[in-house]
Amino acid sequence: MRSHTIVMAFCLALSVSLARAETCPNPAFAVNGLHLDTQGVDGTMARKAALEHATAEAFQIVTNRLLLTDQPAANQLTELTAEDFIDFVHISSETALAQRYIADIDICFDPVRMRDQFIQRNLSWSELFSSPILLLPVWQDPSGIRVWARNITWLDVWRDIGERDNQLLRLKTLSPDLALERRLPPEQIKDKQPDILALSAKAAGAQQLAVLYAGLDYTRSPPMLIMKAELFDADGVFLSEINAVEIEMNGRTNLPEAFDLFRQTFITTLSDTWQRANLYKVDDRADIHVELSVNSLEMWYRLRTLLAELPIVQSITVLRLTSRSGVLKLKLSGSVEALQMAVRSTGYRLQANGDVYQLTVNPG
């Protein structure tokens, strides 16, 4: 069967779809789903310009994702040629016209070369994605408390957050759902009842959750807009307050702007906290000992593989193995707390027992 190549007087169109997709060895250095649509004096120049622009954009996304904020030396990275750090470019589809180039691509940068530049400039960075964090926005006004309603500005601000933010944070939301609303009443979410928060986290497969409250208080003069973000673990236990703001409703308050600013502050604060707790360590990486209770070699290999495949685990050394247990030494690229969250997402728990951590099945 002939391929569908159409030749016209002033236009040559060629559509290509690559069947084989490469996987970036470290997803923190990857930018996926870039859409290119560029015009030029001819198809070749359009393609060149499109790929150069996309590479520069992806390089900026990755450096912003990894590096701690407020590091002046990071500005020196703009002097580098982004193409020099590419591992590979995967083109999922492309169309080359006479004076236009359209494509969807993924770009993977080489971690070794990029780390070398960070080290040369004495920069601090993190490469570890967080375990899923559920966002539970709550809106309250005189008409009531809303969590699942649509077309409420405060709630809508958060629903597409995962699509808009290229952070190391893995953020999730629950889509409005009648069955969920019955199980998770807005009033009980607003009151932060631990069992309801735990049920919400379980429904989303999240290891932490943030209750994001905003409400209008007309009992005060002038009326106040109150916004607060609080972080909880998967059991609904309070961890910390991320941000809290009160704004006078004086007739000049722009609610969408206030909401967006609060959202940006929340993301920046939580992201910075995560990165600082999980900085990439060139030397002296954290080591911990983990004890596994096993009843067969098959179980031993399965649990060891489970730990080895976690992104935070850089290497594993076997210290002891008997017919009933084994002890591993794990070298980490982040905090023990991050490891515990990652382990919990696999259905297990990692709990301290003296100088050793024990891997047990998560009762939840």
Side-chain angles (χ1 to χ4, degrees):
M1 181 177 179
R2 292 179 58 191
S3 61
H4 297 285
T5 304
I6 303 173
V7 181
M8 301 178 66
F10 299 103
C11 174
L12 171 63
L14 174 63
S15 295
V16 181
S17 179
L18 302 186
R20 186 175 65 89
E22 297 181 79
T23 300
C24 199
N26 188 329
F29 291 84
V31 179
N32 300 319
L34 289 169
H35 181 70
L36 286 59
D37 189 345
T38 304
Q39 294 182 335
V41 293
D42 57 39
T44 300
M45 294 301 295
R47 186 180 194 275
K48 181 176 183 293
L51 292 175
E52 287 179 352
H53 176 77
T55 300
E57 178 186 359
F59 188 77
Q60 188 67 48
I61 288 174
V62 170
T63 54
N64 287 344
R65 174 192 295 161
L66 303 182
L67 295 174
L68 289 184
T69 57
D70 300 324
Q71 297 187 92
N75 295 330
Q76 300 172 12
L77 297 175
T78 60
E79 302 170 3
L80 302 176
T81 303
E83 287 84 352
D84 293 341
F85 300 92
I86 290 179
D87 185 357
F88 66 84
V89 176
H90 171 246
I91 302 176
S92 55
S93 67
E94 67 176 354
T95 301
L97 305 172
Q99 294 181 312
R100 186 180 178 188
Y101 180 75
I102 305 169
D104 292 291
I105 70 173
D106 307 326
I107 298 180
C108 176
F109 293 97
D110 185 342
V112 175
R113 279 178 274 171
M114 291 197 68
R115 288 184 194 127
D116 182 59
Q117 294 298 323
F118 296 164
I119 293 168
Q120 287 184 35
R121 291 162 176 77
N122 198 30
L123 295 170
S124 297
W125 78 95
S126 175
E127 303 175 6
L128 184 65
F129 283 102
S130 73
S131 295
I133 301 172
L134 171 65
L135 304 181
L136 274 178
V138 179
W139 171 253
Q140 183 175 21
D141 60 22
S143 66
I145 301 170
R146 315 285 182 84
V147 170
W148 308 108
R150 297 182 183 274
N151 300 319
I152 301 292
T153 305
W154 173 256
L155 304 182
D156 293 341
V157 159
W158 303 97
R159 284 187 177 138
D160 64 342
I161 197 167
E163 300 174 3
R164 290 191 288 168
D165 291 276
N166 271 296
Q167 306 287 339
L168 291 173
L169 299 177
R170 290 302 199 201
L171 303 175
K172 304 184 68 174
T173 58
L174 291 171
S175 299
D177 180 275
L178 184 59
L180 271 180
E181 184 171 356
R182 290 172 178 167
R183 296 169 59 201
L184 307 171
E187 295 79 7
Q188 296 181 31
I189 294 175
K190 184 250 180 187
D191 292 338
K192 293 161 283 192
Q193 295 188 12
D195 58 331
I196 295 299
L197 297 187
L199 189 59
S200 302
K202 185 176 182 180
Q207 302 309 309
Q208 292 183 336
L209 69 153
V211 177
L212 306 158
Y213 172 84
L216 300 176
D217 184 357
Y218 287 99
T219 65
R220 297 159 66 176
S221 182
M224 302 292 292
L225 168 64
I226 302 170
M227 296 179 286
K228 181 181 289 188
E230 296 174 301
L231 191 66
F232 298 80
D233 69 13
D235 296 320
V237 176
F238 176 79
L239 296 175
S240 65
E241 180 179 277
I242 304 300
N243 194 20
V245 175
E246 293 189 0
I247 301 174
E248 289 186 1
M249 299 292 291
N250 54 18
R252 297 188 300 273
T253 304
N254 185 313
L255 289 181
E257 286 185 4
F259 294 164
D260 196 56
L261 178 59
F262 185 90
R263 169 191 168 278
Q264 292 176 28
T265 302
F266 168 81
I267 293 294
T268 301
T269 303
L270 194 59
S271 178
D272 186 70
T273 301
W274 172 260
Q275 286 182 288
R276 291 185 185 279
N278 296 283
L279 292 178
Y280 187 92
K281 298 178 181 179
V282 179
D283 300 305
D284 300 324
R285 296 188 181 181
D287 291 345
I288 68 168
H289 292 176
V290 176
E291 183 177 14
L292 313 177
S293 295
V294 298
N295 52 30
S296 66
L297 278 177
E298 180 183 1
M299 184 178 184
W300 162 256
Y301 286 122
R302 178 169 56 82
L303 294 179
R304 191 180 70 175
T305 301
L306 180 149
L307 292 172
E309 291 178 347
L310 297 176
I312 189 173
V313 177
Q314 294 297 304
S315 65
I316 288 182
T317 303
V318 178
L319 299 182
R320 188 181 75 242
L321 177 61
T322 70
S323 60
R324 294 189 176 183
S325 69
V327 176
L328 301 172
K329 182 173 77 172
L330 275 57
K331 188 176 289 292
L332 308 180
S333 62
S335 65
V336 174
E337 291 77 11
L339 173 65
Q340 289 174 314
M341 283 196 293
V343 166
R344 183 161 177 166
S345 69
T346 67
Y348 289 84
R349 286 204 182 201
L350 196 64
Q351 297 175 308
N353 183 17
D355 296 332
V356 178
Y357 287 84
Q358 291 184 324
L359 187 71
T360 59
V361 175
N362 185 359

Coordinates of all heavy atoms in Angstrom, one line a residue, residues 207-269:
Q207 N -0.2 10.0 49.5 CA 0.5 9.7 50.7 C 0.4 10.9 51.7 O 0.7 10.8 52.9 CB 1.9 9.4 50.5 CG 2.1 8.1 49.6 CD 1.3 6.9 50.1 OE1 1.4 6.6 51.2 NE2 0.5 6.4 49.2
Q208 N 0.0 12.1 51.1 CA -0.2 13.3 51.9 C -1.4 14.0 51.3 O -1.7 13.7 50.1 CB 1.0 14.2 52.0 CG 2.1 13.6 52.8 CD 3.3 14.6 52.9 OE1 3.5 15.5 52.1 NE2 4.1 14.4 53.9
L209 N -2.0 14.9 52.0 CA -3.0 15.7 51.4 C -3.0 17.1 52.0 O -2.6 17.3 53.2 CB -4.4 15.1 51.6 CG -5.0 15.0 53.0 CD1 -6.6 15.0 52.9 CD2 -4.6 13.8 53.7
A210 N -3.5 18.1 51.2 CA -3.5 19.5 51.7 C -5.0 19.9 51.6 O -5.6 19.8 50.6 CB -2.7 20.4 50.8
V211 N -5.5 20.4 52.8 CA -6.8 21.0 52.8 C -6.7 22.5 52.5 O -6.0 23.2 53.3 CB -7.5 20.8 54.2 CG1 -8.9 21.5 54.2 CG2 -7.7 19.3 54.4
L212 N -7.3 22.9 51.4 CA -7.1 24.3 50.9 C -8.4 25.0 51.1 O -9.3 24.9 50.3 CB -6.7 24.3 49.5 CG -5.4 23.4 49.2 CD1 -5.4 23.0 47.7 CD2 -4.2 24.2 49.6
Y213 N -8.5 25.8 52.2 CA -9.8 26.4 52.6 C -9.8 27.9 52.2 O -8.8 28.6 52.3 CB -10.0 26.3 54.1 CG -11.2 27.2 54.6 CD1 -12.5 26.6 54.5 CD2 -11.0 28.5 55.0 CE1 -13.6 27.4 54.9 CE2 -12.1 29.2 55.4 CZ -13.4 28.7 55.4 OH -14.4 29.4 55.8
A214 N -10.9 28.3 51.6 CA -11.1 29.7 51.4 C -12.6 30.0 51.7 O -13.5 29.3 51.4 CB -10.8 30.1 49.9
G215 N -12.8 31.1 52.4 CA -14.2 31.5 52.7 C -14.4 33.0 52.9 O -13.4 33.7 53.2
L216 N -15.6 33.4 52.8 CA -16.0 34.8 53.1 C -16.7 34.9 54.4 O -17.7 34.2 54.7 CB -17.0 35.3 52.0 CG -16.4 35.2 50.5 CD1 -17.5 35.6 49.5 CD2 -15.2 36.1 50.4
D217 N -16.1 35.7 55.3 CA -16.6 35.9 56.6 C -17.3 37.3 56.7 O -16.6 38.3 56.8 CB -15.4 35.8 57.6 CG -15.9 35.9 59.1 OD1 -17.1 36.1 59.3 OD2 -15.1 35.8 60.0
Y218 N -18.6 37.3 56.7 CA -19.4 38.5 56.8 C -19.8 38.9 58.2 O -20.5 39.9 58.4 CB -20.7 38.3 55.9 CG -20.4 38.4 54.4 CD1 -20.3 37.2 53.7 CD2 -20.2 39.6 53.8 CE1 -20.1 37.2 52.4 CE2 -19.9 39.6 52.4 CZ -19.9 38.4 51.7 OH -19.6 38.4 50.4
T219 N -19.3 38.2 59.2 CA -19.6 38.5 60.6 C -18.6 39.6 61.1 O -18.8 40.2 62.1 CB -19.4 37.3 61.5 OG1 -18.0 36.9 61.5 CG2 -20.3 36.2 61.0
R220 N -17.6 39.9 60.3 CA -16.6 40.9 60.6 C -16.8 42.2 59.8 O -17.4 42.1 58.7 CB -15.2 40.4 60.5 CG -15.0 39.2 61.4 CD -13.8 38.3 61.0 NE -12.5 39.0 61.0 CZ -11.4 38.4 60.8 NH1 -11.4 37.1 60.5 NH2 -10.3 39.1 60.8
S221 N -16.4 43.3 60.2 CA -16.5 44.5 59.5 C -15.1 45.2 59.3 O -14.5 45.5 60.3 CB -17.4 45.5 60.2 OG -17.6 46.7 59.5
P222 N -14.7 45.4 58.1 CA -15.3 44.9 56.9 C -15.3 43.4 56.7 O -14.5 42.7 57.4 CB -14.5 45.6 55.8 CG -13.1 45.7 56.4 CD -13.3 46.0 57.8
P223 N -16.1 42.8 55.8 CA -16.0 41.4 55.6 C -14.6 40.9 55.2 O -13.8 41.7 54.6 CB -17.0 41.1 54.5 CG -17.9 42.3 54.5 CD -17.1 43.5 55.0
M224 N -14.2 39.7 55.5 CA -12.9 39.2 55.2 C -12.9 38.0 54.3 O -13.8 37.1 54.4 CB -12.2 38.8 56.6 CG -12.1 40.0 57.6 SD -11.0 41.3 57.1 CE -9.4 40.5 57.1
L225 N -11.9 37.9 53.5 CA -11.6 36.7 52.7 C -10.5 36.0 53.5 O -9.4 36.5 53.7 CB -11.1 37.0 51.3 CG -10.5 35.9 50.5 CD1 -11.5 34.8 50.2 CD2 -9.9 36.4 49.2
I226 N -10.8 34.7 53.9 CA -9.9 33.9 54.6 C -9.4 32.7 53.8 O -10.2 32.0 53.2 CB -10.5 33.4 55.9 CG1 -11.0 34.6 56.8 CG2 -9.6 32.5 56.7 CD1 -11.9 34.1 58.0
M227 N -8.1 32.6 53.7 CA -7.5 31.5 52.9 C -6.5 30.8 53.8 O -5.7 31.4 54.4 CB -6.9 32.0 51.6 CG -7.9 32.6 50.6 SD -7.1 33.2 49.1 CE -6.3 34.7 49.7
K228 N -6.5 29.4 53.8 CA -5.6 28.7 54.6 C -5.3 27.4 53.9 O -6.1 26.7 53.3 CB -6.2 28.4 56.0 CG -5.3 27.7 56.9 CD -5.9 27.4 58.3 CE -6.1 28.7 59.1 NZ -6.5 28.4 60.5
A229 N -4.0 27.0 54.0 CA -3.5 25.7 53.5 C -2.8 24.9 54.6 O -1.9 25.4 55.2 CB -2.6 25.9 52.3
E230 N -3.3 23.7 54.8 CA -2.8 22.8 55.9 C -2.5 21.5 55.3 O -3.2 20.9 54.5 CB -3.7 22.7 57.1 CG -4.0 24.0 57.8 CD -5.1 23.9 58.8 OE1 -6.2 23.5 58.5 OE2 -4.8 24.1 60.0
L231 N -1.3 20.9 55.7 CA -0.9 19.6 55.2 C -1.1 18.5 56.2 O -0.9 18.7 57.4 CB 0.6 19.7 54.9 CG 1.2 18.5 54.1 CD1 0.7 18.5 52.7 CD2 2.8 18.7 54.0
F232 N -1.6 17.3 55.8 CA -1.9 16.2 56.6 C -1.2 14.9 56.0 O -1.0 14.9 54.8 CB -3.4 15.9 56.7 CG -4.1 17.1 57.3 CD1 -4.5 18.2 56.6 CD2 -4.5 17.1 58.7 CE1 -5.1 19.3 57.1 CE2 -5.2 18.1 59.2 CZ -5.5 19.2 58.5
D233 N -1.0 13.9 56.8 CA -0.5 12.6 56.3 C -1.7 11.8 55.8 O -2.8 12.2 55.9 CB 0.4 11.9 57.3 CG -0.3 11.4 58.5 OD1 -1.6 11.3 58.4 OD2 0.3 10.9 59.4
A234 N -1.4 10.6 55.3 CA -2.4 9.7 54.7 C -3.4 9.2 55.7 O -4.4 8.7 55.4 CB -1.8 8.6 54.0
D235 N -3.1 9.4 57.0 CA -4.0 9.0 58.1 C -4.8 10.1 58.6 O -5.6 10.0 59.6 CB -3.2 8.3 59.3 CG -2.5 7.0 58.8 OD1 -3.1 6.3 58.1 OD2 -1.4 6.8 59.3
G236 N -4.7 11.3 58.0 CA -5.4 12.5 58.4 C -4.8 13.2 59.6 O -5.5 14.0 60.2
V237 N -3.6 12.9 59.9 CA -2.9 13.5 61.0 C -2.2 14.8 60.5 O -1.5 14.9 59.5 CB -1.8 12.6 61.6 CG1 -1.0 13.3 62.7 CG2 -2.4 11.3 62.1
F238 N -2.5 15.9 61.3 CA -1.9 17.2 60.9 C -0.4 17.2 60.9 O 0.2 16.8 61.9 CB -2.5 18.3 61.9 CG -1.9 19.7 61.7 CD1 -2.4 20.5 60.7 CD2 -0.9 20.1 62.5 CE1 -1.9 21.7 60.5 CE2 -0.4 21.4 62.3 CZ -0.9 22.2 61.3
L239 N 0.2 17.8 59.9 CA 1.6 17.9 59.8 C 2.1 19.4 59.9 O 3.0 19.6 60.7 CB 2.1 17.4 58.4 CG 1.9 15.9 58.2 CD1 2.3 15.5 56.7 CD2 2.6 15.0 59.2
S240 N 1.5 20.3 59.1 CA 2.0 21.7 59.2 C 1.0 22.6 58.5 O 0.2 22.1 57.6 CB 3.4 21.8 58.6 OG 3.4 21.5 57.2
E241 N 1.1 23.9 58.8 CA 0.4 24.9 58.1 C 1.3 25.4 57.0 O 2.4 25.9 57.3 CB -0.1 26.0 59.0 CG -0.8 27.1 58.3 CD -1.3 28.2 59.3 OE1 -2.4 28.0 59.9 OE2 -0.6 29.2 59.4
I242 N 0.8 25.5 55.8 CA 1.7 25.9 54.7 C 1.5 27.4 54.5 O 2.5 28.1 54.2 CB 1.3 25.2 53.4 CG1 1.5 23.6 53.6 CG2 2.2 25.6 52.2 CD1 2.8 23.2 54.0
N243 N 0.3 27.9 54.6 CA 0.1 29.3 54.3 C -1.3 29.7 54.9 O -2.2 28.9 55.0 CB 0.1 29.6 52.8 CG 0.2 31.1 52.5 OD1 0.6 31.9 53.4 ND2 -0.2 31.5 51.3
A244 N -1.4 31.0 55.4 CA -2.7 31.5 55.9 C -2.7 33.0 55.6 O -1.7 33.7 55.9 CB -2.8 31.2 57.4
V245 N -3.8 33.4 55.0 CA -4.0 34.8 54.6 C -5.4 35.3 54.9 O -6.3 34.6 54.7 CB -3.7 35.0 53.1 CG1 -3.9 36.4 52.6 CG2 -2.2 34.6 52.7
E246 N -5.5 36.6 55.3 CA -6.8 37.2 55.5 C -6.7 38.5 54.8 O -5.8 39.3 54.9 CB -7.1 37.5 57.0 CG -7.3 36.2 57.8 CD -7.9 36.4 59.2 OE1 -8.1 37.6 59.5 OE2 -8.1 35.5 59.9
I247 N -7.8 38.8 53.9 CA -7.8 40.0 53.1 C -9.1 40.7 53.3 O -10.2 40.1 53.3 CB -7.6 39.7 51.6 CG1 -6.3 39.0 51.4 CG2 -7.7 40.9 50.8 CD1 -6.1 38.5 50.0
E248 N -9.1 42.0 53.5 CA -10.3 42.8 53.7 C -11.1 42.9 52.4 O -10.5 43.1 51.3 CB -10.0 44.2 54.1 CG -9.5 44.3 55.6 CD -9.4 45.8 56.0 OE1 -9.7 46.7 55.2 OE2 -9.0 46.0 57.2
M249 N -12.4 42.6 52.4 CA -13.3 42.8 51.2 C -13.8 44.2 51.2 O -14.9 44.5 51.7 CB -14.4 41.7 51.3 CG -14.0 40.3 51.4 SD -13.2 39.8 49.8 CE -14.7 39.8 48.7
N250 N -13.0 45.1 50.6 CA -13.3 46.5 50.7 C -13.8 47.0 49.4 O -13.9 48.3 49.2 CB -12.0 47.3 51.0 CG -10.8 46.9 50.1 OD1 -11.0 46.4 49.0 ND2 -9.6 47.3 50.6
G251 N -14.3 46.2 48.5 CA -14.8 46.6 47.2 C -13.8 46.6 46.1 O -14.2 46.7 45.0
R252 N -12.5 46.6 46.5 CA -11.5 46.6 45.5 C -10.7 45.3 45.4 O -9.8 45.1 44.6 CB -10.5 47.7 45.8 CG -11.1 49.1 45.8 CD -10.0 50.2 45.9 NE -9.3 50.1 47.2 CZ -9.6 50.6 48.3 NH1 -10.8 51.3 48.4 NH2 -8.9 50.5 49.4
T253 N -11.2 44.3 46.2 CA -10.5 43.0 46.2 C -10.8 42.2 44.9 O -12.0 42.0 44.6 CB -10.9 42.2 47.4 OG1 -10.6 43.0 48.6 CG2 -10.1 40.9 47.5
N254 N -9.8 41.8 44.2 CA -10.0 41.0 43.0 C -9.8 39.5 43.4 O -8.7 39.1 43.7 CB -8.9 41.4 41.9 CG -9.1 40.6 40.6 OD1 -9.3 39.4 40.6 ND2 -9.1 41.4 39.5
L255 N -10.9 38.8 43.6 CA -10.8 37.4 44.1 C -10.0 36.5 43.2 O -9.1 35.8 43.7 CB -12.2 36.8 44.2 CG -13.1 37.4 45.4 CD1 -14.4 36.7 45.4 CD2 -12.3 37.3 46.7
P256 N -10.1 36.5 41.9 CA -9.3 35.6 41.0 C -7.8 35.9 41.2 O -7.0 34.9 41.3 CB -9.7 35.9 39.6 CG -11.2 36.3 39.8 CD -11.2 37.1 41.0
E257 N -7.4 37.2 41.3 CA -6.0 37.5 41.5 C -5.5 37.0 42.9 O -4.4 36.5 43.1 CB -5.8 39.0 41.4 CG -5.8 39.5 40.0 CD -5.5 41.0 39.9 OE1 -5.2 41.6 40.9 OE2 -5.6 41.5 38.8
A258 N -6.4 37.2 43.9 CA -6.0 36.8 45.3 C -5.9 35.3 45.3 O -4.9 34.7 46.0 CB -7.1 37.2 46.3
F259 N -6.8 34.6 44.7 CA -6.7 33.1 44.6 C -5.4 32.6 43.9 O -4.7 31.7 44.4 CB -7.9 32.5 43.9 CG -9.2 32.7 44.6 CD1 -10.4 32.6 43.9 CD2 -9.3 33.1 45.9 CE1 -11.6 32.8 44.6 CE2 -10.5 33.3 46.6 CZ -11.7 33.1 45.9
D260 N -5.1 33.2 42.8 CA -3.9 32.8 42.0 C -2.6 33.1 42.8 O -1.7 32.3 42.8 CB -3.9 33.5 40.7 CG -2.9 32.8 39.7 OD1 -3.1 31.6 39.5 OD2 -2.0 33.5 39.2
L261 N -2.6 34.2 43.5 CA -1.4 34.5 44.3 C -1.2 33.5 45.4 O -0.1 33.1 45.7 CB -1.5 35.9 44.8 CG -0.3 36.4 45.7 CD1 1.0 36.3 45.0 CD2 -0.6 37.8 46.3
F262 N -2.3 33.2 46.1 CA -2.3 32.2 47.2 C -1.8 30.8 46.6 O -1.0 30.2 47.2 CB -3.7 32.1 47.8 CG -3.7 31.2 49.0 CD1 -3.4 31.7 50.3 CD2 -3.9 29.8 48.9 CE1 -3.4 30.9 51.4 CE2 -3.9 29.0 50.0 CZ -3.7 29.5 51.3
R263 N -2.3 30.5 45.5 CA -2.0 29.2 44.8 C -0.5 29.2 44.6 O 0.2 28.2 44.8 CB -2.8 29.0 43.6 CG -2.3 27.9 42.7 CD -3.0 28.0 41.3 NE -2.3 27.1 40.4 CZ -1.2 27.4 39.7 NH1 -0.6 28.5 39.9 NH2 -0.7 26.5 38.9
Q264 N 0.1 30.3 44.0 CA 1.5 30.3 43.6 C 2.3 30.2 44.9 O 3.4 29.5 44.9 CB 1.8 31.6 42.9 CG 1.2 31.7 41.5 CD 1.4 33.0 40.8 OE1 2.4 33.7 41.1 NE2 0.5 33.4 39.9
T265 N 1.9 30.9 45.9 CA 2.7 30.9 47.2 C 2.7 29.5 47.8 O 3.7 29.0 48.3 CB 2.1 31.9 48.2 OG1 2.1 33.2 47.6 CG2 2.9 31.9 49.5
F266 N 1.5 28.9 47.7 CA 1.4 27.5 48.3 C 2.4 26.5 47.5 O 3.1 25.8 48.2 CB 0.0 27.0 48.1 CG -0.2 25.5 48.3 CD1 -0.3 25.0 49.6 CD2 -0.3 24.6 47.3 CE1 -0.5 23.6 49.8 CE2 -0.5 23.3 47.5 CZ -0.5 22.8 48.8
I267 N 2.3 26.6 46.2 CA 3.2 25.7 45.4 C 4.7 26.0 45.7 O 5.5 25.1 45.9 CB 2.9 25.9 43.9 CG1 1.5 25.4 43.6 CG2 3.9 25.2 43.1 CD1 1.3 23.9 43.8
T268 N 5.0 27.3 45.7 CA 6.4 27.6 45.9 C 6.9 27.2 47.3 O 8.0 26.6 47.4 CB 6.6 29.2 45.8 OG1 6.2 29.6 44.5 CG2 8.0 29.6 46.0
T269 N 6.1 27.4 48.3 CA 6.5 27.0 49.7 C 6.6 25.5 49.8 O 7.6 25.0 50.4 CB 5.4 27.5 50.7 OG1 5.3 29.0 50.6 CG2 5.8 27.2 52.1

